Amino acid sequence: MKKSFLYLLSLILVINVTLVGCVFSPNKKDNFPPVSRNNETILQAFYWEMGEAGYPKEETDLWLFLAQKAPELSEVGFTAVWLPPANKAMGGKRDVGYATYDLWDLGEFNQKGTVRTKYGTKEELENAITALHNDGIKVYYDAVLNHRMGADSTETVKLSPYSPDKPGQTIKAWTKLAFPGRKNKYSDFQWNWQCFDGADWDESTRTSGKFLFEGKSWDYTFIWNDDYLMGADVDYENHKVQKDVTNWGNWIINEIGFDGFRLDAVKHIDYRFINQFITDVQKNSNKDVFFVGEAWIENVDDLVGYLNTVNNEDLKVFDFPLRSAFADMINGTDMRTLQNVGLVNKEGYKNRAVTFVDNHDTNRDGKDPGIYRRKYQAYAYILTREHGIPVVYWKDYYIYGMKNELDKLLEVRKYYAYGPGYEVDNNDEDVYSYVRAGLDEVEGDGLVLMISDGESEEIISKRINSRQPNTTFYDYTGHVQGNIITDERGYGNFKVRKSENEGWSVWVPVIE
Ligand code: CA
Ligand code: CA
């Protein structure tokens, strides 16, 4: 009796082990569904503090490092990388890149005290682009076109009677850029005060202000009088400036080999020029050039207004309104709001959204911690969504130790996040769910996403239509154990834990 009981017990154990094995076996690559279409996913390949003391040494030569990493990035599902500004900036090799000095110097000329930029030389950059292309990864340039900094010399400039500061007076402005180290290679265009609308510094009195130059008017922006941001503000009503910057854009795509642009501070640049720049660069290339604008506008109707003002279908924008919803999730929110927030949920604009959780501005040491809680819930949302192109932030991925869990979500995106997306009808304050039906022609794709901002640690069950009848699902994140089998109509009782640290589950079909 006792012996048979032990035998039974060991049999149960064996069965259990087998079952547990079954639950985990789909993680093996040979059990993934085939990748029929390639979901686009961007890696933002830098952060503000990259290369500084206390951060990984190998990142100080980013172009070399990226060339090495290309196979690994491709394998996990990244289809594009957004590089930091690759041109020479005011601060030389310590400059992150946003203080544009010479767009035509990609680490090739001795200017600002250095040949290389913070990230390496032009040759290293070109090698990185080749390596990334060899692994099927597109490369996007971070174009900082709004302003110039670090001019070579000053000029005496008379100010407009409409200048906000010192109207009608004369200042000494840093507006002469002759690029002495480059010696007119690629472009012989040299900049003087007439290339700018205004500046923020008078060298003669060493005072700051907002100075509009004589005969100039601020450029056309979506938000009125929003042209000036910093430095010497480029006048995009000047035809010679338009021509040089457009030539440069064509060179970056057609000669250097980039595949697209992230347009920095785009709402502070003349929208007529932005439209023309996109049109011209697109027309002059046989690539489908990618454009995403950083229009930092958190109200979705205003962001739509911005897109309509530029009026160019090729322009996408970062979904700052969606990110605001993730910021609300930090301290708990009504999870039902997630079904209609952001550009990614705005009818007619869903495909214009580039979704993200944090970037080099929203997360910066000593300044802003960014989305410091429930960040995986936010990533699970953008990486499973039907619309929007998601961006993963390097600092989250490599520095904050999120790589292992993010890799699971990236695998979900690569193999399962296909087919029409459906909102469910039973979201509540604590749980948001979303379904991808999968593609008809593919066996084993599709998913049920559940994310929670609850904290009770209990497992919640929701009856959800997976759109996949008689299908066995398991939670790819491993947060909830066991299988869920849907009925003949596709319904099943899917589960998620109300938990900050495990409050996201992605149920995917088991493939035998
Ligand atoms: Ca102007
Ligand atoms: Ca401007």
Side-chain angles (χ1 to χ4, degrees), residues 197 217-219 235-237:
D197 279 331
S217 51
W218 300 116
D219 293 348
D235 178 12
Y236 281 104
E237 291 168 302

Side-chain angles (χ1 to χ4, degrees), residues 88 105 107-116 179-182:
K88 195 66 55 73
D105 180 0
E108 184 180 5
F109 308 103
N110 190 359
Q111 302 191 115
K112 298 293 143 196
T114 173
V115 171
R116 64 167 285 170
F179 315 116
R182 178 157 57 79

Side-chain angles (χ1 to χ4, degrees), residues 79-99:
T79 57
V81 290
W82 153 24
L83 302 187
N87 52 272
K88 195 66 55 73
M90 174 171 68
K93 64 182 171 193
R94 291 180 322 280
D95 201 307
V96 174
Y98 291 95

Side-chain angles (χ1 to χ4, degrees), residues 177-179 184 187-192 195:
L177 292 88
F179 315 116
N184 295 337
S187 163
D188 61 5
F189 187 59
Q190 301 195 354
W191 296 57
N192 60 27
C195 303

Side-chain angles (χ1 to χ4, degrees), residues 22 28 60 124 128 185 199 291 303 320 345 470 502-503 508:
C22 273
K28 286 189 300 192
T60 55
E124 289 166 355
K185 191 171 176 187
F291 297 91
L303 191 54
F320 280 93
N345 292 307
N470 307 314
E502 292 187 13
V508 299

